[in-house]
């Protein structure tokens, strides 16, 4: 399994970015997929996940601003990030979490722990 993120960059407060995660070796349509971020000096935070039925879960910190989606035909996962804030600055990773659905919270992850990870893409938001 290979997951390759792209789309990160530097934006100002209030800006938008769209992250992509191209998958190979796994059909993301049949799996739960998620986005996890880690800021310097902080723990990893599961921020969004989507399962094979299209059910989603979001962390409270991003709900209403971020949207997770996927294109099964292109085997690609997306994260649309709007109204970006400096506290969104982090390395963003996509991950595959088995064939079970999204978790029940409070963390926005798949029900199963993440198995495969991408290398990450950096998002930096300046004030």
């Amino acid at each position: 399994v290979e997951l390759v993120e792209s789309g990160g960059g530097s934006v100002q407060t209030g800006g938008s970015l769209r992250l992509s995660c191209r998958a190979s070796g796994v059909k993301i349509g049949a799996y739960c997929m998620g986005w996890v971020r880690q800021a310097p000096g902080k723990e990893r935070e599961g921020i969004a996940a989507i399962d094979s039925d299209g059910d989603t879960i979001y962390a409270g910190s991003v709900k209403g601003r971020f949207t997770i989606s996927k294109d099964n035909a292109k085997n690609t996962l997306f994260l649309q990030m709007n109204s970006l804030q400096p506290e969104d600055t982090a390395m963003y990773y996509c991950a595959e979490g088995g064939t079970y659905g999204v978790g029940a919270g409070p963390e926005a992850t798949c029900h199963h722990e993440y198995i495969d990870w991408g290398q990450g893409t950096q998002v930096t938001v300046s004030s």
Side-chain angles (χ1 to χ4, degrees):
V1 176
E2 184 177 29
L3 304 173
V4 180
E5 301 96 333
S6 61
S10 297
V11 296
Q12 292 188 326
T13 297
S16 298
L17 285 172
R18 189 192 195 204
L19 305 184
S20 298
C21 172
R22 188 182 65 197
S24 58
V26 62
K27 294 292 187 183
I28 67 169
Y31 287 78
C32 183
M33 303 292 296
W35 290 96
V36 179
R37 69 184 181 186
Q38 187 166 24
K42 294 188 177 181
E43 294 186 357
R44 281 182 177 174
E45 177 189 19
I47 57 171
I50 184 168
D51 66 16
S52 59
D53 292 329
D55 293 331
T56 58
I57 186 170
Y58 293 94
S61 58
V62 307
K63 197 169 187 178
R65 300 188 298 124
F66 292 9
T67 302
I68 188 171
S69 63
K70 57 183 180 174
D71 185 330
N72 292 338
K74 295 182 178 179
N75 218 30
T76 302
L77 180 73
F78 302 101
L79 185 69
Q80 178 67 43
M81 305 187 296
N82 298 328
S83 301
L84 283 162
Q85 303 296 315
E87 53 265 35
D88 295 316
T89 295
M91 186 72 80
Y92 284 70
Y93 301 89
C94 75
E96 173 262 305
T99 56
Y100 291 101
V102 296
E107 192 173 5
T109 64
C110 296
H111 178 79
H112 192 284
E113 66 177 280
Y114 289 123
I115 302 168
D116 297 296
W117 296 76
Q119 82 289 348
T121 186
Q122 177 68 39
V123 172
T124 303
V125 185
S126 58
S127 57

